[in-house]
Amino acid sequence: MEEQKYTTSKPSWVPEKDDDKFACSVMSGIDGIKDTTVGNINPNIASGKIKPKRRMILSEDDYVNGVANGDRITLSRAITLIESNSPRHFKKAQRVLQRLLPRTGNALRIGFTGVPGAGKSTTIEAFGNMLCDEGHKVAVLTIDPTSSVTKGSILGDKTRMGTLSRRPEAFIRPSPAGGTLGGVARKSRETMLMCEAAGYDVIIIETVGVGQSETTVRSMVDFFLLIVLTGAGDDLQGIKKGIMELADAIVINKADGDNLMKAKVARGEYERMIEFIRPATPGWATHAYLCSAVEHTGLKELWEVIKGFEKITKESGVWQKRREGQLLDWMHSMIDEHLHNLFFEDAVVTGRMPEIREAVLKGQISPTQAVAELINLFDVKRASMRQVDIFHPEKE
Ligand code: GDP
């Protein structure tokens, strides 16, 4: 490598006889570099032709106005603020959200779930494009339970929804990285509200049908859709009854080509199964539908189903009731999480815990007695004094 061409300036306090190697000699800095191609300095910056870019810090007003005006860059940055683990950002994000709250709540919120490979992203892309063509503004958010647990990702690794992501009427945001599912859920809910405030009238939340994430998504959306596949005779296997109970529609995707007949058979089977399952939404009959995300068939019908659902449940009051229930459940689940963290991070409780566990295992005390003793030791006020940041426990 070519030797760097610095000049050094010798301060007056360097001993007379010492040369440039004296430990306290001072590099003269960028101005002293004669050859601007040396090092990492952009020659245009070094020569003063362009100024280095600086990300402007947005004020609370900038965020509120930008999001309210539907500015996508500000929306993205507002979501980054929500996702930040810094308590300072958290507080700012909450103030912004508070001011935007009157603009939220008007979108239709739809959840999509299904096993990897079922065709979620292909379907959402085709469906989203169709809605944009009809004049809707569509936001797609993903909740990826794998990224919160293992930092790996099922949903996010591939380049997804390429055509939809390029449309100005669409906004796509991947799952927030890391953290607990509870933390991811809070961030996703708040992201959803930001998107609503920015004028998106259809919000699609996508998740993988594994683990608990579909329950989390069900608790955020108005309409929940399960995408399934027909396959080698095991159509109904691998679909947990629990997930079917959450669904307002079951969509058999890839109903095209050689698969069309199989899809029709599967539809009949799902219809028969649904009869034995409690409907996810009171007053609404869940059915199975066929679609092909590749051939774009069945998508318009699906949209009609969803709009029909909106009309019926709004008229019956079930829509509003569900939204209210979701808000309160959200609040309660955050309280649960907060208290849980305070309890299990309390020094007195954790100090006593090993002995109590031992005593339970030896049959010396019952689990009920153990709980009573630990709860008695637990002092909420003292625990709160530790100022655990409940929303960012991972920062502790
Ligand atoms: P995801 O993991 O559920 O998001 O599934 P993808 O949308 O990535 O789809 C998985 C594979 O199924 C891809 O190769 C798609 O091209 C394919 N696929 C998705 N929808 C359809 C469809 O309607 N028909 C056919 N034939 N293939 C499809």
Side-chain angles (χ1 to χ4, degrees), residues 114-123 155 158 160 206 253-256 291-295:
V115 294
K120 290 179 296 301
S121 59
T122 317
T123 308
L155 287 170
K158 39 191 177 156
R160 315 177 86 241
E206 178 195 8
N253 188 32
K254 307 195 188 180
D256 47 45
C291 98
S292 166
V294 168
E295 293 186 350

Side-chain angles (χ1 to χ4, degrees), residues 195-307:
C195 290
E196 290 183 356
Y200 291 88
D201 64 335
V202 180
I203 312 280
I204 294 177
I205 306 189
E206 178 195 8
T207 194
V208 185
V210 291
Q212 285 188 318
S213 63
E214 58 275 345
T215 322
T216 306
V217 173
R218 168 76 270 188
S219 70
M220 294 181 190
V221 298
D222 305 307
F223 190 92
F224 194 59
L225 203 149
L226 170 65
I227 299 194
V228 296
L229 285 173
T230 64
D234 57 351
D235 300 340
L236 303 181
Q237 287 168 28
I239 300 285
K240 285 178 275 163
K241 187 164 158 268
I243 298 188
M244 284 187 62
E245 281 182 350
L246 301 175
D248 294 309
I250 294 172
V251 177
I252 298 143
N253 188 32
K254 307 195 188 180
D256 47 45
D258 294 345
N259 211 29
L260 182 58
M261 277 314 292
K262 281 189 214 155
K264 286 182 177 168
V265 173
R267 179 183 180 175
E269 291 173 356
Y270 277 107
E271 283 290 346
R272 279 192 290 284
M273 270 179 87
I274 291 164
E275 282 180 29
F276 298 102
I277 287 176
R278 190 163 38 104
T281 305
W284 174 256
T286 300
H287 284 295
Y289 305 90
L290 298 180
C291 98
S292 166
V294 168
E295 293 186 350
H296 295 196
T297 51
L299 299 174
K300 274 207 174 352
E301 292 77 1
L302 192 59
W303 181 231
E304 289 306 318
V305 169
I306 297 173
K307 282 198 297 190

Side-chain angles (χ1 to χ4, degrees), residues 72 75 107-110 112 121 123-141 161 163-173 191-192 195-196 198-206 303:
R72 294 157 61 98
L75 174 63
L108 176 53
R109 303 164 179 171
I110 309 169
F112 276 70
S121 59
T123 308
I124 292 172
E125 175 157 50
F127 191 65
N129 275 322
M130 182 190 79
L131 295 182
C132 290
D133 289 342
E134 281 189 18
H136 292 283
K137 281 185 78 187
V138 181
V140 181
L141 318 175
M161 301 177 217
T163 58
L164 187 61
S165 63
R166 282 194 290 274
R167 292 189 74 138
E169 314 91 328
F171 180 83
I172 299 180
R173 183 81 177 192
T191 296
M192 176 171 83
C195 290
E196 290 183 356
Y200 291 88
D201 64 335
V202 180
I203 312 280
I204 294 177
I205 306 189
E206 178 195 8
W303 181 231

